[in-house]
Amino acid sequence: QKEVEQNSGPLSVPEGAIASLNCTYSDRGSQSFFWYRQYSGKSPELIMFIYSNGDKEDGRFTAQLNKASQYVSLLIRDSQPSDSATYLCAVITAGGTSYGKLTFGQGTILTVHP
Amino acid sequence: KAGVTQTPRYLIKTRGQQVTLSCSPISGHRSVSWYQQTPGQGLQFLFEYFSETQRNKGNFPGRFSGRQFSNSRSEMNVSTLELGDSALYLCASSDSQETQYFGPGTRLLVL
C-alpha cells in the first residue's frame, strides 16, 4: 500500500464547476497535510495546508481533513481554465524521522475546459 | 521576500560524471529539503538539512550527498551519474512551521 494515494484522474471539469480532489494516507500518525499545484514544466506551488479535522477555506479553495478516515480532500469552486494543473497531496508524519520530509501522492491531473 | 533560488536551472552531463546543485532558501529559513522528481516515481525525498546538520535522509544510494552552509544555503552532489539520475531536482525551504516552499528546480539530463 502506498503511503499517500490520490484519485488517479485525470479529472476533467467544465469551467465554473466544483473540482474535487481526494487523498488518503496510510500512517495514522500523520500530522500535517498540504496541497500543492504544479503546472507543466514548473515546480510545485503551495495552495493550502491543514492540521486539524474539519474544513479550511481560502478563497475558491477548501481543504477538508478527516483523521479518523485518514482522508484529506481539496475542493476548487468556480473552476477556471487557469486551474488546469497537477495537484499534489503531501503529508508529514509525526516523529523524529519526519524532519523536513514531505511524502507525496502521485498527483491528480486536473483539466478545466471552457 | 525573495523566493527559493536554485542554480543551475538546466544541466547536461554524461554517465560517470558528477554534478553539484545549489539552493538558496528564503531569507530566515533554516531548513532545506531536497527532492527528486521523475515521471515514473514522482516526488521523492532525498534529505533535509537544518543548521548545517543533516536531520533526515531518504532511500537513495550514497552517491547522493548534500551539505548546508552557515548562511543556510545548501548544495547537493551526485557522483558517478547514471542515466536514471535524469530528473528534476527540487529544493524546498521551511521555517519552523513545516510548510515548505519550493524553488524552480534544476533539470538534469544524463546522457
Side-chain angles (χ1 to χ4, degrees), chain A residues 31-32 34 36 38 41-46 49 51 88 92-93 96-106, chain B residues 9 31 33 35 37 42-45 47-48 55-56 58 88 90 97-105 107:
Chain A
Q31 296 289 322
S32 307
F34 305 84
Y36 287 85
Q38 187 172 26
K42 302 294 186 182
S43 63
E45 172 193 8
L46 179 70
F49 58 87
Y51 302 140
L88 297 161
I92 291 183
T93 58
T97 59
S98 68
Y99 288 128
K101 179 183 177 181
L102 287 170
T103 301
F104 284 87
Q106 73 275 27
Chain B
R9 294 292 310 279
S31 171
S33 298
Y35 297 86
Q37 186 174 31
L43 269 154
Q44 293 187 289
F45 173 77
F47 29 65
E48 186 259 3
R55 294 194 300 182
N56 203 357
L88 178 65
L90 293 157
Q97 302 304 314
E98 296 187 320
T99 304
Q100 295 186 19
Y101 300 90
F102 284 86
R107 194 166 295 278

Side-chain angles (χ1 to χ4, degrees), chain B residues 36-109:
Chain B
Q36 181 196 65
Q37 186 174 31
T38 59
Q41 298 298 317
L43 269 154
Q44 293 187 289
F45 173 77
L46 282 157
F47 29 65
E48 186 259 3
Y49 287 87
F50 180 87
S51 292
E52 303 179 66
T53 300
Q54 186 184 88
R55 294 194 300 182
N56 203 357
K57 188 177 189 305
N59 189 25
F60 278 82
R63 300 185 297 107
F64 292 82
S65 62
R67 59 178 175 169
Q68 187 180 35
F69 302 95
S70 59
N71 61 358
S72 294
R73 188 177 70 86
S74 178
E75 289 181 347
M76 67 163 283
N77 184 276
V78 188
S79 63
T80 319
L81 283 166
E82 300 177 359
L83 296 178
D85 297 334
S86 295
L88 178 65
Y89 289 89
L90 293 157
C91 82
S93 78
S94 174
D95 57 16
S96 60
Q97 302 304 314
E98 296 187 320
T99 304
Q100 295 186 19
Y101 300 90
F102 284 86
T106 294
R107 194 166 295 278
L108 172 65
L109 177 62

